[in-house]
Amino acid sequence: MALFAAVVEAGSLTAAAERLALSKSAVSKALVAQEARLAAKLLQRTTRRQSLTEVGTAYYEHCRRVLLEAGEARRAVDRLHAQPVGVLRITAPISFGSEHLSRHMPELLKRYPGMQVDLQLSDRLVDLAEEGYDLAIRVTDKPDPLLVARALAPIRWVVCASPAYLAQHGTPMQPSDLAGHACLTYPALTPGGAWPFLLQGQSWQQPVSGPLRMNNSLALLLAALGGLGVVRLPSFAASGQLADGSLRPLLQDYAVPPQTALAVYLPNRYLSPKVRACVDFLRERLGNGGRPYWDHWLDETGK
């Protein structure tokens, strides 16, 4: 179609061949093949001039519109690959997304006004390809090997309780002491009903139980602030309370190595600028894989 349009617009096979950097015979053969496929004569050609047939005129008008649309499509792709624009679909855990991602979205969108963000918060493990997400934020120490992962920040888990609870029930000094305490748990993050610890460099699972189980860290935080029991939380969910003393960290000498907040996305040779821009921005804001701003409470405890 592009070759036929070039012949029409150039006015001759010779001129079209020069414009397309082809031989005249190659252009002629291609034109004859196109007429054969259409079973219609498109051009009347003599040694002195060429003119469109009625069919050729109608066909050329369609070709021209198609080629204009193709050009617009290519330019749209070029624009999308030149700068961060369009809708970016992100999935993230509820607590981390509401506490930290949401607070940075205004600055991200101010920096890249051509972008829009569709941020969906869920603790469910989302299938990026099947559900059409560009990017996922995940807190884990076992990233999916089929996805590209970039570290945003370490995630420290803290066993803690309110001063009122500790004053009434005592302070656990080692993991085994938790057997005598009311522990507030997140079932999906408490496999086998136990919390992990390191004892003399060895992994240890301490069974825990208590009066309340919930599937949200922020809800567990409120219950712990109410003096209901001991809780194990990611520090990003409780940093303010750990800093102001309304929750006290426990068993820090037995803490397990931190997990990592990761930005993960599907492997793509041509990574979208909007995904790259968002990941780089979040790394910049959350600590570039180093100590994040929400762990300022550690300065108070000396850990």
Side-chain angles (χ1 to χ4, degrees):
M1 294 174 75
L3 184 143
F4 172 67
V7 170
V8 174
E9 291 163 5
S12 71
L13 294 180
T14 301
E18 292 176 357
R19 179 180 296 181
L20 298 171
L22 298 171
S23 67
K24 181 180 177 181
S25 62
V27 172
S28 178
K29 288 178 182 178
L31 184 59
V32 169
Q34 181 73 328
E35 290 178 328
R37 281 193 294 271
L38 296 170
K41 191 72 171 175
L42 299 175
L43 284 172
Q44 296 289 359
R45 298 184 297 278
T46 68
T47 56
R48 300 180 60 184
R49 62 188 297 272
Q50 70 178 27
S51 60
L52 284 167
T53 65
E54 182 180 7
V55 173
T57 299
Y59 185 63
Y60 169 69
E61 288 302 319
H62 286 286
C63 289
R64 188 172 61 84
R65 286 196 294 270
V66 169
L67 293 170
L68 286 172
E69 288 293 327
E72 282 300 315
R74 178 54 188 265
R75 285 187 286 275
V77 171
D78 290 342
R79 284 194 298 271
L80 289 171
H81 280 281
Q83 55 186 330
V85 296
V87 178
L88 178 68
R89 299 196 70 216
I90 309 174
T91 175
I94 295 172
S95 299
F96 189 77
S98 56
E99 281 287 294
H100 298 286
L101 292 188
S102 58
R103 73 170 62 184
H104 296 298
M105 288 300 103
E107 186 177 352
L108 174 67
L109 294 175
K110 183 177 180 180
R111 182 179 297 187
Y112 302 110
M115 279 179 56
Q116 301 173 44
V117 172
D118 179 358
L119 175 59
Q120 298 294 316
L121 303 182
S122 172
D123 291 337
R124 178 176 60 86
L125 193 63
V126 171
D127 186 314
L128 298 185
E130 184 174 328
E131 300 185 46
Y133 282 93
D134 301 298
L135 184 65
I137 308 302
R138 291 181 179 165
V139 176
T140 182
D141 53 5
K142 297 178 181 178
D144 189 329
L146 299 180
L147 298 174
V148 179
R150 292 189 65 192
L152 300 177
I155 301 298
R156 181 183 297 267
W157 288 82
V158 184
V159 176
C160 52
S162 70
Y165 175 87
L166 297 174
Q168 183 176 356
H169 300 280
T171 300
M173 304 305 295
Q174 55 189 8
S176 59
D177 292 343
L178 293 173
H181 284 270
C183 294
L184 316 177
T185 58
Y186 190 141
L189 301 179
T190 313
W195 287 345
F197 293 95
L198 284 179
L199 294 177
Q200 299 178 344
Q202 299 297 314
S203 178
W204 172 265
Q205 299 291 322
Q206 174 60 47
V208 293
S209 61
L212 183 65
R213 296 185 295 274
M214 291 193 285
N215 66 343
N216 181 267
S217 294
L218 297 181
L220 287 169
L221 169 67
L222 294 175
L225 288 171
L228 191 58
V230 180
V231 69
R232 180 175 180 265
L233 294 169
S235 61
F236 67 74
S239 60
Q241 293 76 17
L242 291 165
D244 66 20
S246 55
L247 287 178
R248 291 182 182 171
L250 308 169
L251 307 174
Q252 292 186 84
D253 291 336
Y254 301 93
V256 298
Q259 294 181 314
T260 306
L262 300 171
V264 301
Y265 49 88
L266 294 165
N268 189 340
R269 181 179 176 185
Y270 305 105
L271 182 62
S272 166
K274 62 186 178 184
V275 173
R276 182 182 293 108
C278 183
V279 172
D280 290 345
F281 172 82
L282 290 177
R283 280 177 54 83
E284 172 191 319
R285 285 291 171 267
L286 301 183
N288 280 316
R291 179 169 158 179
Y293 60 81
W294 57 76
D295 275 343
H296 62 283
W297 64 274
L298 290 168
D299 298 328
E300 304 298 325
T301 63
K303 293 293 181 179

